[in-house]
Amino acid sequence: MTFCYLLFAMSENSPNRLLILLLATLLLVSTSCEKVVNLNLKTSPTQLVIEGNLVDDNRPCQVSLSTSANYTDTNTFAPVTGATVTLADNAGSTETLREATPGQYTGATIKGVPGRSYTLRVETGGNSYVAVSTLPSPVVPFEKLSTQVSTVGNNIQAVVDYTDPVGPGNSYLFRQYRNGRLNNAIFVQNDQFTDGKHITQTLRSFSNSSTDPNGVNKLAAGDSLQVEMQNIDPNVYEYFRTLNQILTVGGAPSTTPANPKSNFSGGALGYFSAHSRRVLRIKVQ
């Protein structure tokens, strides 16, 4: 490791002070210097991460349990085994999910029904974590999927059409698949300014050479495009909205990273979502 030191002996009133400073600046610029900077990356206690989904597709509830990791850890998240996971609805049904594989829990009897509320409880390590989610009703139809070319960059973008029901509180999540591969971008929308209106919404992906260096998410003619439209409740919308803020590139440098707003009590990370799922597929022209 090379360190650079530059010593000057001059008085405050020296007539050559400006010249000496100029020479010093030129010398520093032309000299290769390295400096060791030790970053004090704080660690945080391990937290439970819960991802729970119950869809109106006649399939049982699926729950994934894992633990969080620090920035300096490898990108692996240990599964949480041996937990007790129960699901109940407001129609009086209750079931205990079985652990199908380490950290993956599956229901059997309770299915997603529009208008019903569901309570997911996770007990592990002597602690309990509870979330409530309501499957929205009525389910909003996914009317049309098309593409358009952006005015800047000539990128092909997916365009979705649907009609928001009259009455506030409707929220939507869209997930985009290119040739069967899920785009990591998150597209969320609510009806705060569009209540009761027909919506034509472009799914603008902010992928670039740094976030998508191989261009795997960039649509091209001939691609198979699939978009999934979910009707989600407001608390789940808030989770994905805040998650999207964290993931979106180009945020303010002063913004302090934080965890997305979970709908679980007890301090767990993640979400539980009871939602509808509607899918449209087209070939990109």
Side-chain angles (χ1 to χ4, degrees), residues 48-53 62-66 79-80 102-105 271:
L48 178 67
V49 180
I50 308 172
E51 294 180 66
N53 289 281
Q62 304 290 327
V63 177
S64 172
L65 303 183
S66 60
V80 175
Q104 303 297 318
Y105 298 78
Y271 68 94

Side-chain angles (χ1 to χ4, degrees), residues 55-151:
V55 190
D56 67 337
D57 58 2
N58 206 36
R59 297 181 182 181
C61 182
Q62 304 290 327
V63 177
S64 172
L65 303 183
S66 60
T67 54
S68 62
N70 285 307
Y71 179 81
T72 54
D73 294 340
T74 58
N75 192 26
T76 56
F77 305 95
V80 175
T81 61
T84 300
V85 182
T86 56
L87 178 68
D89 64 18
N90 60 350
S93 299
T94 303
E95 70 173 348
T96 299
L97 281 63
R98 67 180 182 88
E99 188 171 6
T101 59
Q104 303 297 318
Y105 298 78
T106 303
T109 59
I110 296 180
K111 306 297 172 60
V113 178
R116 286 190 184 176
S117 294
Y118 300 85
T119 300
L120 183 68
R121 177 183 297 272
V122 176
E123 298 178 11
T124 181
N127 298 312
S128 295
Y129 310 89
V130 180
V132 178
S133 182
T134 299
L135 205 159
S137 178
V139 173
V140 179
F142 192 175
E143 297 172 2
K144 182 182 177 183
L145 172 62
S146 58
T147 59
Q148 69 176 22
V149 178
S150 63
T151 55

Side-chain angles (χ1 to χ4, degrees), residues 66-269:
S66 60
T67 54
S68 62
N70 285 307
Y71 179 81
T72 54
D73 294 340
T74 58
N75 192 26
T76 56
F77 305 95
V80 175
T81 61
T84 300
V85 182
T86 56
L87 178 68
D89 64 18
N90 60 350
S93 299
T94 303
E95 70 173 348
T96 299
L97 281 63
R98 67 180 182 88
E99 188 171 6
T101 59
Q104 303 297 318
Y105 298 78
T106 303
T109 59
I110 296 180
K111 306 297 172 60
V113 178
R116 286 190 184 176
S117 294
Y118 300 85
T119 300
L120 183 68
R121 177 183 297 272
V122 176
E123 298 178 11
T124 181
N127 298 312
S128 295
Y129 310 89
V130 180
V132 178
S133 182
T134 299
L135 205 159
S137 178
V139 173
V140 179
F142 192 175
E143 297 172 2
K144 182 182 177 183
L145 172 62
S146 58
T147 59
Q148 69 176 22
V149 178
S150 63
T151 55
V152 178
N154 292 323
N155 294 318
I156 299 176
Q157 300 173 324
V159 181
V160 298
D161 280 72
Y162 63 97
T163 301
D164 182 77
V166 175
N170 297 297
S171 304
Y172 310 95
L173 169 67
F174 294 90
R175 304 309 308 269
Q176 176 177 306
Y177 296 77
R178 178 197 178 197
N179 298 326
R181 183 185 186 275
L182 176 63
N183 188 331
N184 54 12
I186 296 171
F187 309 96
V188 287
Q189 181 74 32
N190 67 9
D191 64 353
Q192 182 178 1
F193 303 107
T194 57
D195 181 35
K197 297 180 179 180
H198 177 80
I199 312 299
T200 299
Q201 178 72 41
T202 301
L203 303 186
R204 294 183 175 87
S205 175
F206 297 97
S207 297
N208 54 41
S209 58
S210 61
T211 60
D212 187 18
N214 299 318
V216 295
N217 294 324
K218 190 174 182 179
L219 293 174
D223 283 345
S224 171
L225 171 64
Q226 172 182 312
V227 172
E228 175 182 317
M229 176 182 177
Q230 298 180 10
N231 291 190
I232 56 178
D233 75 15
N235 289 331
V236 176
Y237 167 82
E238 190 64 16
Y239 170 84
F240 282 104
R241 185 191 68 82
T242 54
L243 175 62
N244 199 39
Q245 286 182 333
I246 297 169
L247 297 178
T248 298
V249 177
S254 61
T255 300
T256 302
N259 294 319
K261 189 175 180 179
S262 175
N263 60 347
F264 273 97
S265 66
L269 304 178

